[in-house]
Amino acid sequence: MNHLPPPAEELRLLDAELRQLDARRAQLLARRAWLVATLQQARQQPQQAWAQARTQPPPVAWSRPETAAPSVQNVLLVLGGVLLTLAAAVFTLVSWGHMGITGRALVLGAVTLAALAGPALLLKRGLRSTAESVAGLGLALTVLDAYALHEAALAGTDGTGYAAAAAAVLAVIWSAYGLLPATAALRLPLPCALVAAQFPLLLWALSADPGPYVISAALLVTAGLDTVAALRVRTGSVRITAMVGAYSTGALGVLTAGWLSLAADTPSAAARAGALLLLAATIAVGAAWRGAGSLSGSGSGSDSGTAPGSASSTAAPWQGPGEKHALGLAIVSGLLAVGAFGGTARSWLPEMWTVPAYLVCGIALSAAVRAGRLPDAVRLGSAWASGAVQALALLWALPVVAVVVLGPAGWIGRVWSGAPSDARAAVTVEAPWPPDAAAVPVVLLAVAAVVALVSRAEQWRARARIGALGLVWATALTLPAVAGIPYVAGMAVLGVVTAAALYAGRATVSAARLTALLLSLTTSVSLALASLASQTVTLVVLSVLTALFASASWRTSLASVTAPAALVYAAALASATGAAVDWPPARTALLVLAVPVAAALLAPRLGAQRATVPVEVAGAAAGLLAVGLAVSDPPLLALVLASCGVIAAGTALRPDRRPVGYAATALFVLAAWVRLAAWEVGTPEAYTLPVTVPALLVGALRRRRDPQVSSWTAYGPGLAATLLPSLVAAWGDPHWTRPLLLGTASLLVTLLGARHRLQAPLVLGGSVLALVTLHELAPYVVQVTGALPRWAPPALAGLLLLALGATYEQRIRDVRRVREVLGRMN
């Protein structure tokens, strides 16, 4: 129903609506009056105006220019300068021979002087871009002048040496031209002069042909001069050009010097290459030192064209490349210094000590940085360089550690084939021994000492100690194999390392404790695998590992890792003991069952809740191992399954492990079935009744506690476990005993279901009874059907349908009544 407001409220609403309608009407009337006036004025205008308006074309929209005027100007100027330069080059190279020496000199000289003098006049008129283009043409003509001079008057001289001298002269001329007061505003001459200055030393070295050492020195000296220019010059374009030149020539020089250092086979060659690397390191650290105190981008200068010699260049010079560049340069300088001293030391030492030599230089670099007073960026970069050297040394030692840890796995396919001669043979079963491995323990121990002593910061101290612990562990692990000590002694060393790692697991810091536990587990696995070579060693090692991890499990903080490990090694010891006394695997499974028993007894007594689940998982895995060992012997398999069921039942007595009772029931059933199969029992009821009886008892107890539980939940599984397999067997049984017993049992179940109004027994029992009866009466039905005429069955079916149709309503009522009765049953 609609809500009707009170009369006063409704009257107020109607008045408001009427006011709004009046206001809207007044607005529409005003708009109508304006439209009428507009139409009257339009009718009074001449018709020619309307015709002109119709014939006049629409206004054309102005298109927006896609390129700015300065851009067009620059493109034209650059293109014009390039074309003039090409024309001059063609004139010099092609048309040179058609003129005499005087004409040649006059033409090139006049054009060059005009091109170089033109920018001064253009700058006075304010045409700066044009002046830059003409100046570029003049600089290109000076290059052509140098080439023409060589071809005309100095053709007999060495081309490379002349090119070096010409590059130097051009660099001086262009620098002077760019510093003149009249042309100081030009941006092009000084960067071009710096580009030309990149070639004199390199070309001179190539012309002298002294070898790669002088070439590398020429490149590095050029890079040093570029670095000075980049640090001192204020003009932005010149500074960028100098930085590009310094990085490019410096990289080429460093690569050449590094290759020479690695390829040096004599101390003198290594010393010369080291001197080149030190020169590069000095240049880099000098630039880093100068730029350490400056801000990135400070003093960036401008491209205003102000020359260093002008009045505006009296400001303080640019202070450096910034903090980021300083840090990178400091790292490079530290690596170069290590390469220089390490390469020199390498030439004096055997090949196996090459990496330790570089490592010592890297550690010395870190010590020198801490001792000196250096800027923060330089100190940090040197520390990073030292860390990079140590990381590379550890990467070199990694293959040896991997062979020691993973190599004993090769004994899995050669169990008890005989003890090897030494500890190295114990880890190189199927893996080759890396070369120069004798220095690996030295490298690992040295890096561990540095990591433990150098990290003084509070936030890094704990991590440094963990890293040092790992490196000390790797040293102790590789030392027996590197030294080639006897096999038994190597096993003893690994056992001591495992015990030491477990003892280190007592640390209060969680990260250190976890690291120590992982190291102890890794060592113990390697020890256990290496012990597979000898039967006696295997038994001793597994016994020691079991006792060691079991004793460590009494500490609550370690039990979650050590207790499962102890159970695993105990299971391995039981298996090895059975194999040592020549027991078959099925009998050995009885020894392995001691591990699940111990796990079931130990789990509830552990103080740490986190250790309970790992212990139970380890016990369950040992139980599966016992079952797998006993598969070949059915009687023993039944015994093992029953024992596992007892263990599971005992675990289910704990309040928090009640669901384990289902597993216990399943194990008992499997044990009974395996025992029956071992007795060659083929009667299915022997397998199903041991399941049905407990299931029905459990269902009865559950319904007594909770009467609302459905009969399908309480009795359905138990009844189906026996009735259905027996029904399948009865249909294929030619004798009368099983159908009679099954029919009797189904009748009793049906009567009990009807008596107590339980749906599951009534339906299951009645269905099985009907099917058994049908199976027993089937031969007689077939016999009677064969005696009747062929028209009799269809006639009987028709009569049945007519009877059903005649009493359809009554039958529906009866069906509904039966359904209601079944529905009231539980």
Side-chain angles (χ1 to χ4, degrees), residues 383-740:
W384 276 104
S386 178
V389 173
Q390 297 176 47
L392 291 175
L394 292 179
L395 188 63
W396 171 80
L398 185 60
V400 178
V401 179
V403 170
V404 172
V405 174
L406 303 177
W411 290 108
I412 296 177
R414 306 179 183 182
V415 177
W416 296 350
S417 59
S421 59
D422 53 20
R424 183 179 301 178
V427 299
T428 56
V429 184
E430 297 180 356
W433 185 247
D436 304 330
V440 169
V442 177
V443 171
L444 295 175
L445 197 59
V447 177
V450 172
V451 170
L453 297 177
V454 171
S455 298
R456 298 177 181 177
E458 186 66 28
Q459 65 271 21
W460 293 100
R461 187 175 302 170
R463 301 178 182 178
R465 290 177 179 177
I466 293 174
L469 174 63
L471 293 174
V472 171
W473 167 81
T475 304
L477 200 65
T478 57
L479 194 58
V482 171
I485 63 177
Y487 172 68
V488 177
M491 297 295 100
V493 171
L494 292 180
V496 172
V497 172
T498 303
L502 281 177
Y503 182 79
R506 299 161 59 94
T508 57
V509 181
S510 59
R513 180 170 61 251
L514 180 60
T515 303
L517 290 176
L518 291 177
L519 295 180
S520 64
L521 290 176
T522 304
T523 311
S524 64
V525 171
S526 180
L527 175 61
L529 292 175
S531 68
L532 295 178
S534 173
Q535 175 179 319
T536 304
V537 176
T538 301
L539 297 176
V540 173
V541 167
L542 292 178
S543 301
V544 172
L545 290 178
T546 302
L548 190 63
F549 281 96
S551 61
S553 301
W554 293 111
R555 292 187 61 87
T556 305
S557 58
L558 306 180
S560 59
V561 176
T562 57
L567 294 176
V568 171
Y569 286 123
L573 176 61
S575 302
T577 303
V581 296
D582 293 332
W583 280 6
R587 186 178 298 182
T588 305
L590 298 177
L591 290 177
V592 178
L593 281 177
V595 177
V597 173
L601 296 176
L602 180 63
R605 291 171 175 79
L606 292 174
Q609 186 66 25
R610 293 180 301 176
T612 302
V613 175
V615 168
E616 292 175 345
V617 171
L624 290 177
L625 174 61
V627 171
L629 292 174
V631 167
S632 59
D633 192 343
L636 282 178
L637 176 60
L639 178 59
V640 170
L641 289 172
S643 302
C644 292
V646 172
I647 298 171
T651 304
L653 294 177
R654 293 161 49 191
D656 57 340
R657 292 294 184 267
R658 297 299 187 193
V660 183
Y662 297 105
T665 303
L667 290 171
F668 284 129
V669 171
L670 289 176
W673 287 357
V674 171
R675 172 54 64 183
L676 291 174
W679 287 338
E680 299 181 355
V681 176
T683 304
E685 288 78 10
Y687 296 89
T688 58
L689 286 176
V691 178
T692 298
V693 174
L696 293 177
L697 292 177
V698 171
L701 292 175
R702 185 172 181 182
R703 276 188 58 83
R704 178 176 296 181
R705 294 179 180 178
D706 186 6
Q708 300 299 324
V709 175
S710 173
S711 62
W712 288 103
T713 303
Y715 304 116
L719 293 175
T722 294
L723 293 178
L724 298 181
S726 299
L727 177 63
V728 174
W731 273 67
D733 193 350
H735 304 286
W736 59 271
T737 307
R738 177 177 282 112
L740 178 60

Side-chain angles (χ1 to χ4, degrees), residues 91 96 99-109:
F91 170 78
W96 187 258
M99 301 180 65
I101 184 65
T102 305
R104 302 170 188 172
L106 290 176
V107 171
L108 276 180

Side-chain angles (χ1 to χ4, degrees), residues 723-770:
L723 293 178
L724 298 181
S726 299
L727 177 63
V728 174
W731 273 67
D733 193 350
H735 304 286
W736 59 271
T737 307
R738 177 177 282 112
L740 178 60
L741 295 177
L742 180 59
T744 304
S746 302
L747 180 59
L748 292 177
V749 170
T750 304
L751 294 176
L752 289 175
R755 171 67 178 82
H756 297 283
R757 296 185 179 181
L758 298 176
Q759 194 176 87
L762 181 61
V763 173
L764 288 175
S767 301
V768 173
L769 179 60

Side-chain angles (χ1 to χ4, degrees), residues 146-244:
Y147 171 77
L149 179 62
H150 179 268
E151 294 296 326
L154 302 174
T157 60
D158 179 43
T160 307
Y162 176 80
V169 172
L170 289 176
V172 173
I173 293 175
W174 292 350
S175 299
Y177 180 72
L179 295 175
L180 291 176
T183 57
L186 296 175
R187 301 178 182 178
L188 194 59
L190 291 180
C192 291
L194 193 58
V195 172
Q198 307 299 312
F199 300 100
L201 291 178
L202 178 61
L203 294 175
W204 171 79
L206 292 175
S207 64
D209 195 17
Y213 291 95
V214 177
I215 295 176
S216 178
L219 290 172
L220 292 176
V221 171
T222 304
L225 296 176
D226 290 335
T227 303
V228 173
L231 293 173
R232 300 296 302 175
V233 177
R234 187 181 181 86
T235 306
S237 58
V238 178
R239 186 175 69 249
I240 293 175
T241 306
M243 291 178 63
V244 173

